[in-house]
Amino acid sequence: LMDNFTRAFGYGSSNHFYPVLQQAIGVGNAFEGWRPCAEGALYHVLVPLSAPPGHAFHLEPDTGVKMPGRNFRVRVDLECTCVREQLGDNAMLCFLHHSKEELSRKQEPSLLDTLCTGPYLDVEKTARWLYRLVRADWLLLPQSSHRLNLMLLPSSRSCKMQLSKGKESLVVEVLFGVRQGDSDIYVSSQPTEVHFMPSTTWHETYAVAEANFFRHVARRAPQDSWHCKCLQFLTGVAMGKGFSAYALKTVVMHLLNTRPLSQWSRRDFMKRLVDIVDSLRCSLDKKRLDHFVIGNQRLPREISLPPELQRVEPPNLFQHLACDPDAYREVVQEYIRLR
């Protein structure tokens, strides 16, 4: 479905200077294979954006916002395209070396004049643009998509749609982001738990790297591997017990990266559950759970990180427990009940 959308978007915006949509990447638990049974059918896809002709994206650290993790702004710069004109490419005029009057007569506005706030790509403006594209291009999709009913859902930093057919329905949340070099790390439009997030702030996401890790494991694990069922079972059992699904997923990813994949079969199910819970207890005792991606020197070679993320010390996902004795005691009691 997203591939069809991307093709339709490309056909409709060939004469405009909007971001170029790349092939969508499935991220999150639904695509990793362990969605908790209690959750509805929610699918997250990340659509990478590249700069249109005559433009370039540059990532700048956004140090002005007080939010967890690393945050960036996407600066949009104009680039000279005079060489293209000299080679006979009459499809566009150079934004830098033609007058504003000539540009306004002969060419669509630059990205700076449509989806930017100042020189920075605006998340909320980009989300509204995607909503308009989805609404306009739905009827252009192949006939198979027309048997689905589409309802757009409100979201300021993504494009959310509910697709239904009879009594069955699913929700797709389309996130968009800019890739950091050739790595598996992106800055993304993904909403955070922070109530206010500036519209020019993009949060660094590791969702693509983590999804690629699960695909790496799936290619190498035996067909009867139950590693996803372990994670699915535990996240369902631990729901509301003080442990986030992300913390449990991090524990399992560390174990998958260190324990032979041949030991995750169905017959090993209970042993691996005990391993996961024991590893969680060790992390609680130390009040430390290392982030799986950042600073991990043992990542598979297929997963590419920017050099600065390879060298840093991994963030501690349990830092809040080290700082709050009351929260720590509460989580230990929840662990005992989980055990």
Side-chain angles (χ1 to χ4, degrees), residues 155-174:
S155 176
S156 63
R157 295 182 64 91
S158 63
C159 180
K160 252 184 176 178
M161 59 186 94
Q162 181 174 345
L163 303 170
S164 59
K165 182 180 179 181
K167 295 182 178 180
E168 296 180 343
S169 69
L170 58 89
V171 174
V172 178
E173 183 169 18
V174 182

Side-chain angles (χ1 to χ4, degrees), residues 7 51 82 87 116 125 156 183 189 193 199 239 264 312 321:
R7 282 192 287 270
C82 291
L87 294 176
C116 291
K125 291 179 181 178
S156 63
S183 74
S189 66
E193 297 177 357
S199 62
M239 196 76 72
W264 291 83
V312 299
L321 300 180

Side-chain angles (χ1 to χ4, degrees), residues 103-117:
L103 289 169
S104 63
R105 288 198 316 269
K106 299 181 179 180
Q107 193 158 275
E108 294 294 330
S110 76
L111 181 58
L112 285 168
D113 295 324
T114 54
L115 302 185
C116 291
T117 295

Side-chain angles (χ1 to χ4, degrees), residues 186-247:
Y186 291 75
V187 298
S188 164
S189 66
Q190 175 120 32
T192 66
E193 297 177 357
V194 178
H195 293 298
F196 172 74
M197 191 171 182
S199 62
T200 55
T201 297
W202 299 67
H203 193 64
E204 188 170 69
T205 178
Y206 317 102
V208 172
E210 292 166 357
N212 286 344
F213 174 74
F214 276 93
R215 294 181 183 111
H216 164 86
V217 170
R219 287 193 298 268
R220 285 158 178 77
Q223 286 190 344
D224 68 339
S225 179
W226 273 40
H227 61 278
C228 285
K229 293 189 186 299
C230 287
L231 183 52
Q232 185 179 47
F233 176 79
L234 274 178
T235 50
V237 170
M239 196 76 72
K241 288 185 167 59
F243 299 105
S244 69
Y246 191 73

Side-chain angles (χ1 to χ4, degrees), residues 15-251:
N15 295 322
H16 297 79
F17 296 96
Y18 289 112
V20 180
L21 307 184
Q22 305 298 322
Q23 185 173 20
I25 305 169
V27 297
N29 53 37
F31 287 98
E32 292 166 350
W34 59 274
R35 184 177 67 224
C37 297
E39 286 194 6
L42 173 62
Y43 294 86
H44 290 98
V45 295
L46 187 141
V47 177
L49 307 177
S50 61
H55 300 70
F57 289 159
H58 297 284
L59 300 183
E60 294 182 353
D62 191 353
T63 56
V65 293
K66 303 298 182 184
M67 290 188 301
R70 298 190 346 147
N71 301 285
F72 292 82
R73 291 186 294 183
V74 180
R75 193 180 79 245
V76 178
D77 291 334
L78 296 177
E79 292 188 325
C80 178
T81 57
C82 291
V83 172
R84 293 180 56 172
E85 292 184 50
Q86 294 168 5
L87 294 176
D89 185 351
N90 297 319
M92 68 172 292
L93 302 176
C94 178
F95 283 108
L96 291 175
H97 298 112
H98 286 272
S99 67
K100 291 184 178 180
E101 292 76 12
E102 185 180 11
L103 289 169
S104 63
R105 288 198 316 269
K106 299 181 179 180
Q107 193 158 275
E108 294 294 330
S110 76
L111 181 58
L112 285 168
D113 295 324
T114 54
L115 302 185
C116 291
T117 295
Y120 298 108
L121 189 61
D122 190 297
V123 173
E124 295 180 8
K125 291 179 181 178
T126 305
R128 291 195 291 271
W129 167 68
L130 275 176
Y131 269 115
R132 291 196 299 270
L133 286 178
V134 169
R135 188 178 292 111
D137 289 345
W138 178 250
L139 295 178
L140 300 178
L141 298 189
Q143 192 62 35
S144 58
S145 300
H146 296 171
R147 294 197 292 268
L148 298 171
N149 294 316
L150 170 72
M151 180 169 64
L152 296 175
L153 306 175
S155 176
S156 63
R157 295 182 64 91
S158 63
C159 180
K160 252 184 176 178
M161 59 186 94
Q162 181 174 345
L163 303 170
S164 59
K165 182 180 179 181
K167 295 182 178 180
E168 296 180 343
S169 69
L170 58 89
V171 174
V172 178
E173 183 169 18
V174 182
L175 309 167
F176 41 93
V178 177
R179 189 178 185 183
Q180 296 191 33
D182 295 327
S183 74
D184 291 325
I185 307 301
Y186 291 75
V187 298
S188 164
S189 66
Q190 175 120 32
T192 66
E193 297 177 357
V194 178
H195 293 298
F196 172 74
M197 191 171 182
S199 62
T200 55
T201 297
W202 299 67
H203 193 64
E204 188 170 69
T205 178
Y206 317 102
V208 172
E210 292 166 357
N212 286 344
F213 174 74
F214 276 93
R215 294 181 183 111
H216 164 86
V217 170
R219 287 193 298 268
R220 285 158 178 77
Q223 286 190 344
D224 68 339
S225 179
W226 273 40
H227 61 278
C228 285
K229 293 189 186 299
C230 287
L231 183 52
Q232 185 179 47
F233 176 79
L234 274 178
T235 50
V237 170
M239 196 76 72
K241 288 185 167 59
F243 299 105
S244 69
Y246 191 73
L248 291 170
K249 170 184 168 180
T250 299
V251 171

